[in-house]
Amino acid sequence: ILPFASVNQILLLLLVLTVCAILYNKVHKVPSSLKNETVDLESPEEMEEEIPVVICAAAGRMGAAIAAISSIYSNSEANVLFYVVGLKNSIPHIRKWIENSKLKEIKFKIVEFNPMVLKGKIRQDASRPELLQPLNFVRFYLPLLIQKHEKVIYLDDDVIVQGDIQELYDTKLAPGHAAAFSDDCDLPSTHEMVRSVGMQNTYMGFLDYRKQAIRDLGISPSTCSFNPGVIVANMTEWKHQRITKQLEKWMQRNVEENLYSSTLGGGVATSPMLIVFYGKHSTINPMWHIRHLGWSPDTRYSEHFLQEAKLLHWNGRYKPWDYPSVHTDLWENWFIPDPSGKFKLTHPES
């Protein structure tokens, strides 16, 4: 049996050894972990800003979203994160299409949009039922769908991006502005197209000025409209100004008073945005939104002008995956066939 003093000496020795081991670890291990941390912080990949791009994938026109994503991915080295928004029943299809094509390399998140948020907020309009599809209103709810980003790009699915999306993302928003759009009167080259296809490019084409609620806004009917198919949005300002609530208010007023659904523009998603953002939006470089390509199956832009364009938009009835339509070759350059074979291009019979 060890004497009591010997036990104490052994315990003291063990304590000293433990303290020495802890000190050794602190001295020798900390610099190593600090070194690793520094490498992570200085890594260009980690520091590169993420560009969130929101695109909807609607059943029946999923090929549009695929072509848009393909064009963005192919024309930019930027760190793009695609938010692909769909309804519950169409999500497996779009996921399979992306994962079984060359787009499997992209960074993306699938987001389900719940159409119940629109209950009681949409007035039925038989003249353009396709404009009442729930995904047309995704742009109203950007902060609810996209949580972690300060700045977001929203694009309609019927676009092709020919420039570097970084340029669009770098669009400057004025202080206090929640969004930037392209004004419909901004580019002289498009004025002839607008006239020839009877496009509306003023507020009169979207709002019913016979209604007192519209006249009370004090907006001149000849004010130039803007197109919300391409949006650069500041999420902090959007939330601060409660933009979504304002848009919902005008949707509900339209259900009660029919303020815009049956007007010439047919813009059930455009009209509330024209009201809420009147005089409070920044502008996008006009070459980043060349539109009206879907307004006529006959009227065409010059090929040289379209080559210079950064973004092409087939807004209107005549879509490039359908027939008839114009400038379909520019769209089909970026289309990726559906691995499941469900989505097919419509071509004229030869």
Side-chain angles (χ1 to χ4, degrees), residues 130-318:
E130 74 276 13
L131 295 175
L132 303 178
Q133 296 301 318
L135 294 181
N136 277 344
F137 301 92
V138 161
R139 69 197 94 189
F140 290 16
Y141 296 94
L142 291 176
L144 301 181
L145 298 166
I146 315 301
Q147 301 292 339
K148 65 173 185 170
H149 302 281
E150 167 74 9
K151 199 175 187 183
V152 172
I153 294 172
Y154 167 87
L155 299 175
D156 276 353
D157 61 357
D158 51 356
V159 306
I160 288 296
V161 174
Q162 301 186 135
D164 184 343
I165 199 75
Q166 181 78 51
E167 283 181 40
L168 182 60
Y169 185 75
D170 290 341
T171 298
K172 294 281 188 289
L173 273 68
H177 285 180
F181 310 96
S182 285
D183 284 322
D184 284 330
C185 311
D186 57 10
L187 201 61
S189 317
T190 65
H191 292 176
E192 183 54 44
M193 170 74 87
V194 169
R195 280 194 295 273
S196 64
V197 300
M199 260 290 293
Q200 294 297 317
N201 63 356
T202 64
Y203 272 58
M204 192 192 302
F206 294 89
L207 306 179
D208 188 347
Y209 276 83
R210 296 170 299 180
K211 301 293 169 66
Q212 189 61 43
I214 297 300
R215 293 201 299 273
D216 287 347
L217 291 168
I219 302 172
S220 167
S222 62
T223 300
C224 186
S225 53
F226 58 79
N227 185 301
V230 176
I231 307 171
V232 181
N234 179 315
M235 293 293 93
T236 303
E237 279 296 335
W238 192 293
K239 288 182 273 196
H240 175 67
Q241 297 179 32
R242 298 167 63 84
I243 296 292
T244 298
K245 287 292 181 193
Q246 291 188 59
L247 291 166
E248 287 185 326
K249 182 191 84 170
W250 283 102
M251 290 169 78
Q252 282 165 329
R253 286 199 70 173
N254 183 58
V255 169
E256 296 156 12
E257 303 173 51
N258 193 18
L259 302 176
Y260 52 74
S261 289
S262 301
T263 53
L264 291 168
V268 288
T270 298
S271 299
M273 297 197 88
L274 289 177
I275 295 170
V276 170
F277 285 101
Y278 170 68
K280 291 188 293 187
H281 68 273
S282 297
T283 54
I284 289 170
N285 178 332
M287 294 306 284
W288 267 100
H289 196 176
I290 301 304
R291 45 210 181 277
H292 318 318
L293 277 76
W295 272 84
S296 165
D298 308 307
T299 312
R300 303 172 68 90
Y301 284 113
S302 80
E303 293 302 323
H304 174 71
F305 175 67
L306 293 182
Q307 283 168 11
E308 298 292 313
K310 305 284 190 178
L311 182 147
L312 305 175
H313 188 184
W314 280 262
N315 57 314
R317 296 172 187 263
Y318 302 99

Side-chain angles (χ1 to χ4, degrees), residues 60-61 63-68 156-161 290 292-297 300 306 312-335 343-348:
R61 49 189 286 165
I66 290 292
D156 276 353
D157 61 357
D158 51 356
V159 306
I160 288 296
V161 174
I290 301 304
H292 318 318
L293 277 76
W295 272 84
S296 165
R300 303 172 68 90
L306 293 182
L312 305 175
H313 188 184
W314 280 262
N315 57 314
R317 296 172 187 263
Y318 302 99
K319 303 301 185 188
W321 55 89
D322 240 329
Y323 179 81
S325 59
V326 295
H327 303 297
T328 52
D329 54 320
L330 293 173
W331 184 86
E332 286 190 35
N333 280 342
W334 306 109
F335 175 68
F343 181 93
K344 294 182 173 67
L345 302 182
T346 307
H347 289 296

Side-chain angles (χ1 to χ4, degrees), residues 75-90:
N75 288 311
S76 180
E77 296 293 322
N79 181 21
V80 181
L81 172 59
F82 293 97
Y83 285 87
V84 184
V85 186
L87 301 181
K88 188 174 185 177
N89 58 356
S90 61

